[in-house]
Amino acid sequence: QVQLVESGGGLVEPGGSLRVSCQASGSIFRVATMGWYRQAPGRQRELVATITSGGSTNYADSVEGRFTISRDNAKNMVFLQMNSLKPEDTASYYCNANLKVSWSGSWYPYWGQGTQVTVSS
């Protein structure tokens, strides 16, 4: 069984910073791309940032230059450092990992339960 658990969300003022973390645990053979997505009330879930096992990153235009994604491959962890936060960044942030549980198994996307980030004065 595989679990992704996020932590680090909270309330921050506009212009502030926050770091969210996610750890994948359980019966994991290999992890490929990991990423962060977010969903605000009444809106669809959207990509925030992704990072491959080799460290290549991809960002949504709305967060480019403000957010930084990183990972610790040894611990199956992914992080999102969020700077210069804006009220429109308010959302539930979800961790995603594309992984396989055995050498012969298929790649499958797993999701965390989400952590709330609220940007407000």
Side-chain angles (χ1 to χ4, degrees):
Q1 187 176 1
V2 175
Q3 279 191 315
L4 271 63
V5 179
E6 300 103 334
S7 60
L11 174 65
V12 63
E13 293 186 348
S17 297
L18 205 60
R19 186 188 194 222
V20 290
S21 304
C22 171
Q23 179 152 32
S25 63
S27 181
I28 298 172
F29 175 74
R30 188 163 294 166
V31 183
T33 299
M34 302 184 80
W36 290 94
Y37 292 72
R38 66 186 181 187
Q39 187 169 19
R43 302 190 65 175
Q44 288 189 333
R45 189 172 296 188
E46 63 177 7
L47 169 73
V48 176
T50 62
I51 183 168
T52 67
S53 57
S56 297
T57 59
N58 178 57
Y59 296 93
D61 290 343
S62 59
V63 307
E64 182 83 54
R66 301 187 297 123
F67 291 11
T68 302
I69 190 171
S70 60
R71 65 188 282 173
D72 183 333
N73 289 333
K75 297 180 179 179
N76 290 331
M77 294 189 72
V78 63
F79 310 95
L80 186 68
Q81 176 67 43
M82 301 180 285
N83 298 328
S84 303
L85 282 160
K86 305 175 181 179
E88 51 263 43
D89 294 318
T90 296
S92 291
Y93 283 70
Y94 296 89
C95 171
N96 169 270
N98 201 33
L99 60 87
K100 56 195 310 185
V101 297
S102 66
W103 178 82
S104 60
S106 300
W107 293 101
Y108 191 82
Y110 288 81
W111 293 90
Q113 81 288 349
T115 185
Q116 180 66 33
V117 172
T118 301
V119 185
S120 175
S121 54

